[in-house]
Amino acid sequence: MSTIPRALPTRPEDVPAAFAARFNSGDPSALAELYEEGAVLAAGPGGAPLAGTALHAANARLQELGVPITVCPRQVYVTGDLALLLVDWRIEGTGSDGRPVSVGGTATDVARRGEDGRWRYAVDNPFGTAPAGLPEGEEESPRPSPGRHAL
């Protein structure tokens, strides 16, 4: 488990990197801090939204795979205390059970600045740009972008 900074992001464009660092730390409570109270996780194309302990349990199950996430923010749109984050992401490697893991997509997330000036997820929609009716287990391939890099 890696050490992560405990401070939450003060800029919306830093939310994806904070998510990756907290996810890759393997600490579910550190990841949970990045969500505001009442936040919602869209559980995949056509999946029911998750909130509260169900949201955090879903993230913890992904962390338990033991495979790091890479993120590549595409765009950030800010208006007041709200931000729309478009982020290519990928979890790929060999899981702690020895089986291959390969999942990813382009998230359309909403972050909100709290009264403390810190940005947290209000809506986490990891498969936000997946076309409707995509078969279970398939995701949209991230589009290449100039200067793409993993965080």
Side-chain angles (χ1 to χ4, degrees):
M1 193 177 301
S2 62
T3 304
I4 59 164
R6 297 312 295 189
L8 294 168
T10 57
R11 302 178 327 151
E13 58 268 28
D14 295 334
V15 173
F19 180 91
R22 287 166 180 263
F23 182 94
N24 293 340
S25 77
D27 181 354
S29 62
L31 188 56
E33 292 173 352
L34 201 51
Y35 290 82
E36 67 178 28
E37 188 174 333
V40 173
L41 170 68
L50 304 175
T53 56
L55 179 159
H56 302 306
N59 276 339
R61 282 191 298 277
L62 282 175
Q63 285 180 293
E64 288 170 3
L65 293 172
V67 179
I69 191 169
T70 57
V71 298
C72 181
R74 225 190 257 191
Q75 296 168 325
V76 176
Y77 299 102
V78 180
T79 181
D81 291 337
L82 290 175
L84 173 63
L85 311 169
L86 302 176
V87 181
D88 295 327
W89 63 276
R90 191 119 202 106
I91 300 172
E92 192 161 25
T94 302
S96 54
D97 62 1
R99 294 174 29 190
V101 175
S102 181
V103 64
T106 300
T108 55
D109 298 329
V110 177
R112 186 184 341 255
R113 182 177 30 224
E115 291 182 13
D116 62 359
R118 305 296 179 166
W119 289 84
R120 296 171 182 85
Y121 286 104
V123 179
D124 183 354
N125 187 12
F127 298 100
T129 63
L134 199 63
E136 183 75 27
E138 292 185 28
E139 87 273 351
E140 177 185 23
S141 297
R143 294 174 204 94
S145 62
R148 183 173 178 171
H149 62 282
L151 298 177

